[in-house]
């Protein structure tokens, strides 16, 4: 060694006798600690952690805040800000980046304040925002992703957003910009009354962090088990669609293993595996289908009694009318140039929120749409890429689970890099 003292770091956290460990020969060059530029938590003393169960349009009301122990009258709505790091887990490797990197910052997300902006959060007022859950379709996060890509957080069932107010940020809070989508009166370039709906079917029953991409198996079909089936109900406009499934051949099985897929008793494809190494062998079923039914459908896998295989998940893509389900609708418009006219149906009575959520950080409030009963019509210009829309009536806006700063010291150690931090309490 050089005789110079080693700065506190990994040894102090992981080795019981860190002083003794400091004398060990280093395995490589050490990295000097760097000072991060001021982080978002450094600019405000007031933070709410919002736990998001699933993707969609959310609201947080005066009553929600009051019931959770926050004094809404102490909040100036003009200073409200919402932040998130996105719905994906931290990377497995330090070299892949993450919140431990000095240049990492949260993303501010545009919100709507549904109130008077009188200088305090008043009864009957609320904020409305769009949030991503811990699992969903990847093109909701990255519009350039393929429509069949699905993400799932490895370690949590809820995504986290952070709400704050006041503070010393130095720039204006993000608010949703409006866009006019009034019907023009003349026929649009394309009339849209249906879209491609996607269903992801998966259960995380068997954990394997080594050989599988998403770390979980749905089913292991071993010797003696010959059939797996899954039923799902569709409201399909036609029988056409697409089925995708990820399956694995057996681990260290030195003979031929065979399996076949069926949709409503029509064979979709078959697979054969001969494993000569100590690894699982993945295969993907990806096939167009024409026999989906507007009712209960059955996807079935069969194999020989001595064969082995593993089922990860399957996806169903099908054409569905733009009909709300439970007062909500989430869809992508067609990717082309020109003006599209959309007709949505099935909405119950009540105020409707319609958003362009193509960029989840900067949703756009769509205004000027026309409603007749449960039918809503609007027109929007297309720039050659698919636009992502979300719609919901006020009565079905989702509510986050709130964790609030300020009551029991020690519940959360620190939000900040500095030694001083707000006291924290978790309220469930």
């Amino acid at each position: 060694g050089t005789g110079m003292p080693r700065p506190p770091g990994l040894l102090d956290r992981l080795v019981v006798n860190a002083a003794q460990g400091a004398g060990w020969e280093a395995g490589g060059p050490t990295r000097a600690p760097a000072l991060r530029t001021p982080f978002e938590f450094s600019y405000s003393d007031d933070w709410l952690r919002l736990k998001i169960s699933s993707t969609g349009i959310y609201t947080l009301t005066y009553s929600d805040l009051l019931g959770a122990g926050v004094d809404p009258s102490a909040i100036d709505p003009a200073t409200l800000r919402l932040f998130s790091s996105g719905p994906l887990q931290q990377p497995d490797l330090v070299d892949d980046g993450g919140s431990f990197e000095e240049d990492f910052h949260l993303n501010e997300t545009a919100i709507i304040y549904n109130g008077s902006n009188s200088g305090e959060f008043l009864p009957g007022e609320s904020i409305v925002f769009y949030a991503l859950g811990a699992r969903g379709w990847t093109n909701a996060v990255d519009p350039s992703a393929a429509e069949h890509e699905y993400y799932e957080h490895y370690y949590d069932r809820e995504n986290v957003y952070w709400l704050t107010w006041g503070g010393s940020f130095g720039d204006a809070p993000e608010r949703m910009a409006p866009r006019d989508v009034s019907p023009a009166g003349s026929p649009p370039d394309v009339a849209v009354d249906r879209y491609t709906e996607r269903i992801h079917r998966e259960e995380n029953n068997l954990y394997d962090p080594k050989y599988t991409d998403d770390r979980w198996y749905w089913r292991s079909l071993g010797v003696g088990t010959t059939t797996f089936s899954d039923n799902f109900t569709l409201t399909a406009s036609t029988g056409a669609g697409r089925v995708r499934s990820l399956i694995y051949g057996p681990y260290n099985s030195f003979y031929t293993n065979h399996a076949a897929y069926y949709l409503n008793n029509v064979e979709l494809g078959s697979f054969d595996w001969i494993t000569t190494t100590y690894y699982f062998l993945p295969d993907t079923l990806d096939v167009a289908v024409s026999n989906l039914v507007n009712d209960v459908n059955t996807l079935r896998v069969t194999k020989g009694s001595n064969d082995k295989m593993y089922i990860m998940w399957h996806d169903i893509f099908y054409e569905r009318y733009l009909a709300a389900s439970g007062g909500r609708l989430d869809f992508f418009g067609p990717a082309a140039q020109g003006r599209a006219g959309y007709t949505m149906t099935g909405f119950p009575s009540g105020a409707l929120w319609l958003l362009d959520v193509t960029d989840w950080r900067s949703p756009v409030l769509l205004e000027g749409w026309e409603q007749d009963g449960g039918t809503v019509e609007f027109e929007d210009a297309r720039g050659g890429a698919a636009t992502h829309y979300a719609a919901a009536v006020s009565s079905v806006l989702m509510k986050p689970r709130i964790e609030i700063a300020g009551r029991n010291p020690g519940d959360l150690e620190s939000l900040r890099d500095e030694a001083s931090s707000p006291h924290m309490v978790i309220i469930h």
Side-chain angles (χ1 to χ4, degrees):
T2 63
M4 297 295 292
R6 178 188 297 268
L10 187 62
L11 285 174
D12 301 273
R13 297 194 300 272
L14 300 182
V15 180
V16 174
N17 190 343
Q20 181 185 31
W24 299 344
E25 182 178 353
T30 60
R31 179 182 179 183
L35 293 176
R36 171 176 288 175
T37 56
F39 197 62
E40 284 71 31
F41 295 138
S42 301
Y43 292 114
S44 176
D45 292 329
D46 299 300
W47 291 89
L48 307 184
R49 184 161 65 175
L50 309 181
K51 305 301 287 290
I52 302 299
S53 59
S54 57
T55 297
I57 306 177
Y58 282 75
T59 187
L60 194 63
T61 68
Y62 175 96
S63 298
D64 295 332
L65 295 172
L66 195 64
V70 174
D71 179 9
S73 66
I75 298 175
D76 181 356
T79 67
L80 284 165
R81 299 173 186 266
L82 186 67
F83 293 91
S84 176
S85 62
L88 306 180
Q89 66 279 341
Q90 292 289 302
D92 291 336
L93 302 176
V94 172
D95 292 342
D96 289 345
S99 63
F100 37 77
E101 294 293 332
E102 286 78 26
D103 60 352
F104 175 86
H105 284 275
L106 297 172
N107 296 290
E108 186 172 357
T109 299
I111 65 173
I112 297 169
Y113 183 69
N114 189 26
S116 61
N117 274 316
S118 63
E120 61 180 290
F121 207 124
L122 297 175
E125 298 182 344
S126 62
I127 66 169
V128 175
F129 61 97
Y130 178 78
L132 298 171
R135 65 196 66 189
W137 298 102
T138 305
N139 59 356
V141 184
D142 177 6
S144 67
E147 70 169 0
H148 64 261
E149 291 184 17
Y150 191 85
Y151 73 88
E152 182 175 9
H153 198 290
Y154 290 161
Y155 313 113
D156 207 340
R157 294 182 179 275
E158 294 176 304
N159 190 17
V160 174
Y161 280 71
W162 296 92
L163 184 71
T164 188
W165 56 92
S168 57
F169 289 90
D171 57 354
E174 295 290 338
R175 295 292 182 264
M176 287 192 205
R179 185 168 79 237
D180 182 42
V181 292
S182 303
S186 57
D189 297 315
V190 59
V192 183
D193 66 353
R194 61 195 73 191
Y195 70 105
T196 300
E197 177 65 294
R198 300 168 288 184
I199 297 177
H200 181 78
R201 306 281 292 177
E202 178 180 9
E203 293 180 12
N204 293 335
N205 295 324
L206 302 171
Y207 184 64
D208 180 4
K210 185 174 182 180
Y211 293 111
T212 67
D213 291 336
D214 68 356
R215 307 181 182 218
W216 290 94
Y217 303 117
W218 184 350
R219 282 289 301 275
S220 170
L221 301 183
V223 172
T225 305
T226 60
T227 302
F228 166 81
S229 63
D230 181 49
N231 296 327
F232 52 92
T233 301
L234 305 182
T235 52
S237 60
T238 70
R242 178 183 175 195
V243 174
R244 299 185 81 249
S245 184
L246 178 62
I247 52 182
Y248 277 67
Y251 173 85
N252 189 25
S253 181
F254 295 90
Y255 59 91
T256 301
N257 295 265
H258 177 82
Y261 263 80
Y262 297 84
L263 174 65
N264 298 329
N265 294 319
V266 175
E267 183 172 347
L268 302 182
S270 61
F271 301 89
D272 293 282
W273 298 278
I274 300 177
T275 306
T276 58
T277 60
Y278 288 88
Y279 294 98
F280 294 111
L281 299 179
D283 250 315
T284 301
L285 175 77
D286 191 340
V287 60
V289 298
S290 58
N291 63 322
L292 291 167
V293 298
N294 187 25
D295 199 347
V296 179
N297 295 259
T298 300
L299 192 67
R300 179 167 52 91
V301 182
T302 64
K303 69 173 191 61
S305 61
N306 290 320
D307 297 339
K308 300 177 183 179
M309 68 175 293
Y310 301 84
I311 297 173
M312 312 299 289
W313 48 258
H314 52 263
D315 296 333
I316 312 299
F317 301 81
Y318 67 100
E319 192 174 78
R320 185 180 184 276
Y321 286 109
L322 285 172
S325 176
R328 302 186 186 95
L329 188 59
D330 186 292
F331 65 97
F332 280 79
Q337 298 285 346
R339 185 165 50 96
Y342 297 88
T343 301
M344 306 185 298
T345 62
F347 286 100
S349 60
L352 177 73
W353 296 93
L354 178 60
L355 307 179
D356 173 351
V357 295
T358 308
D359 181 351
W360 64 272
R361 304 169 195 82
S362 301
V364 177
L365 176 64
L366 303 182
E367 300 177 330
W369 40 266
E370 297 180 356
Q371 186 169 13
D372 182 7
T375 299
V376 176
E377 295 185 347
F378 69 97
E379 292 185 8
D380 205 10
R382 301 173 298 162
T387 303
H388 185 190
Y389 300 99
V393 294
S394 291
S395 60
V396 300
L397 294 182
M398 293 183 281
K399 297 291 186 74
R401 190 163 61 89
I402 308 172
E403 297 177 349
I404 307 174
R407 203 161 294 166
N408 296 328
D411 286 340
L412 294 177
E413 291 182 2
S414 176
L415 287 177
R416 298 179 176 177
D417 295 320
E418 292 83 5
S420 62
S421 64
H423 299 299
M424 304 295 295
V425 62
I426 299 177
I427 297 178
H428 295 283

